Amino acid sequence: MKFDILTIFPEIFDAILGSSIIGRAQEKGLVSVDAHNIRDFSKDKHKKTDDYPYGGGNGLVMLAQPIYDAYRSIVKELDYKPHFIYMSPQGKPLDQKLVEDLSKHEHIILLCGHYEGVDERILEELVDEEISIGDYVLTGGELPAMVLVDAISRTIPGVLSNEESYEEESHKDGLLEYPQYTRPADFMGKQVPEVLLSGHHANITKWRRLQALRRTKARRPDMYEQLELTSEDKKLLKNNDDEVKE
Ligand code: 4FD
C-alpha cells in the first residue's frame, strides 16, 4: 500500500509514522508513506500557498496551482490514477467499513487542507472521495490523514503481529470489545472475574459475548439496533438479565 500526502507540514508525518508499527511496516516494505510539501510547488516569490477568498469573508483559501503541480509530480510517471482523498469536515464519516474498502486501493493520495479549505476547482478536478474523521474541526487535515493511514495500514496482512492481531476486535462484527484483564488477579482489592480464571473455555467465550452485547447496548445503542442477535445471544441475555451492572 502506497500513500502520498500533499501537505504544507511534511515533517510531522516523518516523525509520527516513522516510528512504531507503521514504521516497522514501512521497513518491511508493506506500506510506504511519502509526504510532499505543497510549498515546493508554489510559483510565488514568497512561496505563498493560499490567498483571500473571492467574494470576501474570513480566512484564506489554499491555491489550486501548487496543489495541482504537486499532484502532477506524483502521477507523471504512473500509468494508472491513484485514489485521491481530501480530508475535510464536509466529508463522508470514516468508519471501519470505509477503512476496509479503502484498503483495497494499491495507491492513495491524501490532500491535507488548511485555513478555510481548498479552491473548489481542485476538488472537482482531482478528488475521488472527501472523508471526515468526525464531527469536529481541526486546524489542518494532517492529523485526519495520519488517522486514515494508520487505520488502513493495520488492516494490511503482515503489518500487525499475531499478538496485535486484527481478528476478533472492536467493530469487526458490529460489537464493542469485551473487558480485558491481566495479572495480578487482585488489584487494590478488585478481583478479575472468576470465570476468566476457571479455565473453562466455553464459559469464557459465553461470558465475553455477553459482556460485549451488554456494553454495546449501554454505550452504543445505535450499533446495538443494527445487530442481528442469534438465538444463542438471546438465550445468553435472557439467562443473565438479573445481574445487569452497566
Ligand atoms: N473532521 C477534519 C478534516 C480537516 C480539518 C480543513 C476545510 C478545514 C477536521 C477543509 C476546513 C479542511 C475532519 C482542515 N478538520 N481541518 O476529518
Side-chain angles (χ1 to χ4, degrees):
M1 167 66 74
K2 178 156 176 50
F3 298 97
D4 282 296
I5 298 161
L6 305 182
T7 172
I8 57 171
F9 295 118
E11 321 79 36
I12 67 178
F13 288 89
D14 308 334
I16 292 174
L17 299 170
S19 52
S20 81
I21 292 170
I22 309 303
R24 192 180 67 201
Q26 290 201 71
E27 282 162 16
K28 283 197 202 166
L30 296 169
V31 172
S32 93
V33 185
D34 284 302
H36 306 265
N37 196 343
I38 293 167
R39 199 172 298 282
D40 293 345
F41 297 87
S42 171
K43 293 219 163 101
D44 180 73
K45 65 170 177 285
H46 301 107
K47 297 264 174 203
K48 191 176 76 168
T49 58
D50 50 72
D51 207 339
Y52 300 104
Y54 275 120
N58 287 322
L60 294 166
V61 177
M62 288 178 77
L63 297 166
Q65 174 269 318
I67 295 171
Y68 191 77
D69 289 352
Y71 167 79
R72 286 301 311 165
S73 80
I74 293 165
V75 300
K76 63 172 189 281
E77 34 229 62
L78 302 179
D79 56 6
Y80 61 89
K81 194 190 173 298
H83 193 63
F84 195 111
I85 298 172
Y86 176 47
M87 305 309 302
S88 109
Q90 280 74 50
K92 181 175 180 184
L94 184 65
D95 60 15
Q96 196 62 33
K97 167 73 167 60
L98 182 51
V99 168
E100 278 165 28
D101 290 345
L102 291 170
S103 75
K104 286 160 192 144
H105 295 281
E106 261 313 308
H107 190 174
I108 291 176
I109 300 179
L110 292 165
L111 173 60
C112 307
H114 265 261
Y115 321 108
E116 293 306 298
V118 167
D119 190 303
E120 189 66 22
R121 293 165 294 183
I122 273 292
L123 307 184
E124 289 169 5
E125 194 64 29
L126 300 182
V127 172
D128 295 307
E129 203 162 11
E130 199 166 326
I131 294 176
S132 166
I133 63 160
D135 288 337
Y136 42 83
V137 181
L138 303 168
T139 58
E142 281 77 11
L143 288 169
M146 276 190 247
V147 166
L148 194 55
V149 167
D150 190 286
I152 293 172
S153 297
R154 64 187 293 290
T155 71
I156 295 167
V159 169
L160 298 186
S161 67
N162 283 338
E163 291 79 46
E164 301 152 346
S165 170
Y166 177 54
E167 288 307 304
E168 210 191 302
E169 64 177 21
S170 292
H171 298 217
K172 252 260 119 175
D173 50 3
L175 279 177
L176 299 183
E177 189 56 282
Y178 48 79
Q180 300 275 17
Y181 299 85
T182 186
R183 284 182 285 193
D186 177 314
F187 178 69
M188 289 169 49
K190 294 171 78 72
Q191 310 301 320
V192 170
E194 213 175 274
V195 63
L196 299 179
L197 311 175
S198 70
H200 193 309
H201 289 291
N203 283 353
I204 291 170
T205 301
K206 277 193 200 166
W207 181 87
R208 285 178 167 168
R209 181 81 187 174
L210 178 62
Q211 298 304 314
L213 287 164
R214 282 184 181 166
R215 188 176 260 198
T216 308
K217 189 177 185 189
R219 298 183 187 182
R220 293 294 304 273
D222 57 318
M223 283 170 66
Y224 192 77
E225 249 176 73
Q226 297 304 308
L227 287 174
E228 292 208 35
L229 298 181
T230 66
S231 55
E232 276 302 305
D233 288 336
K234 289 176 186 161
K235 220 190 292 174
L236 215 47
L237 289 160
K238 198 167 174 330
N239 292 342
N240 296 283
D241 63 3
D242 42 325
E243 40 172 320
V244 177
K245 290 185 222 87
E246 278 175 297

